[in-house]
Amino acid sequence: MGLLDRFEQRLDRMVNGAFARAFKAEVQPVEIAAALQREMDERAAVVSRGRTVVPNVFAVDLSPHDHDRLSVYSATLTDELAVMVREYAEEQRYTFLGGTEVTLRRDETLDTGLFRVHSEAKAEVVTTPQGVRTPPLAPAGAGHPRLVAGDDVAHPLTRAVTRIGRGTDVDIRVDDPGVSRHHVEILLGREVLLRDLGSTNGTYVDGVQVGEIALRDGAVVQVGGTRMTFRAG
């Protein structure tokens, strides 16, 4: 029996079969669980040999109808989704930077049956036995690696994987027509790696087009017509 089957059975027992009677057009919990698995697979980042980091914080946007229907079981559902995420990560030998967290959000723009998943790898999230989030020990400061744009705006690199591009679902958004929606990503490990994501116009470091490279302090990263200077912290 697969993880999704076990997840569905556990959840259904907890809520007395409520989801077995749901309409097919509505979002089903097992669909959300499968989407979380895909999100981990797609955002998995190899940061060192034998260590692949995946997101540990997930937000699921639901239509008003689906949110109202599922929010009745929100605590049970999100707890079970978090368990499933941990089980899948263990099965795939993935690594988390912190505790797992899944939340459900209402999105007025979505139609019934549609949903979106947002995720990130956050080291400062700690899940206690009671499910309470504790604050980070210290805020992200100037000691972190960062990208500094031409207007002296600093973008701290505090996540295991930071995606840069023109899309609305990236971590650092660059409003530049020469930049792809998902242009490049930066991975934190023993070294800070920059990896081009198959962008249309390529990624340049110190004037040289690269596919993947370890960044050094002072390196100038160019995407489209935008330049950012890497500072190691």
Side-chain angles (χ1 to χ4, degrees), residues 146-155 227-229 231:
R146 59 199 182 277
L147 289 175
V148 182
D151 51 4
D152 292 329
V153 175
H155 302 280
R227 294 185 177 185
M228 295 172 283
T229 301
R231 293 301 180 190

Side-chain angles (χ1 to χ4, degrees), residues 49-111:
R49 185 175 181 179
R51 185 168 185 249
T52 300
V53 172
V54 294
N56 58 305
V57 178
F58 302 86
V60 182
D61 292 343
L62 297 163
S63 70
H65 174 81
D66 286 312
H67 183 270
D68 291 346
R69 180 174 60 93
L70 296 178
S71 61
V72 177
Y73 314 100
S74 179
T76 299
L77 177 56
T78 53
D79 285 348
E80 280 301 315
L81 286 169
V83 170
M84 186 282 303
V85 163
R86 292 192 293 271
E87 289 177 346
Y88 185 67
E90 183 177 354
E91 183 180 271
Q92 301 298 317
R93 298 185 179 179
Y94 289 152
T95 300
F96 294 129
L97 292 181
T100 55
E101 179 181 294
V102 181
T103 57
L104 304 181
R105 305 190 305 196
R106 184 188 182 98
D107 189 329
E108 301 291 341
T109 66
L110 289 174
D111 294 329

Side-chain angles (χ1 to χ4, degrees), residues 2 4-5 16 26 34-35 38 40 43 50 55 67 73 82 94 108 122 133 149 180 182 192 196 227:
L4 293 179
D5 293 327
N16 300 318
E26 297 173 327
R38 289 194 300 272
M40 285 190 285
R43 300 208 63 177
H67 183 270
Y73 314 100
Y94 289 152
E108 301 291 341
K122 293 183 68 174
R133 288 184 62 181
S180 299
H182 296 163
V192 179
D196 184 82
R227 294 185 177 185

Side-chain angles (χ1 to χ4, degrees), residues 10 24 41 45 50-51 57 67 79 91 108 111 115 128 139 151 165 174 195 215-216 218:
R10 286 199 307 264
K24 290 184 179 181
D41 290 337
R51 185 168 185 249
V57 178
H67 183 270
D79 285 348
E91 183 180 271
E108 301 291 341
D111 294 329
F115 67 96
T128 68
D151 51 4
V174 180
R195 179 185 297 162
L215 293 177
R216 298 290 180 261

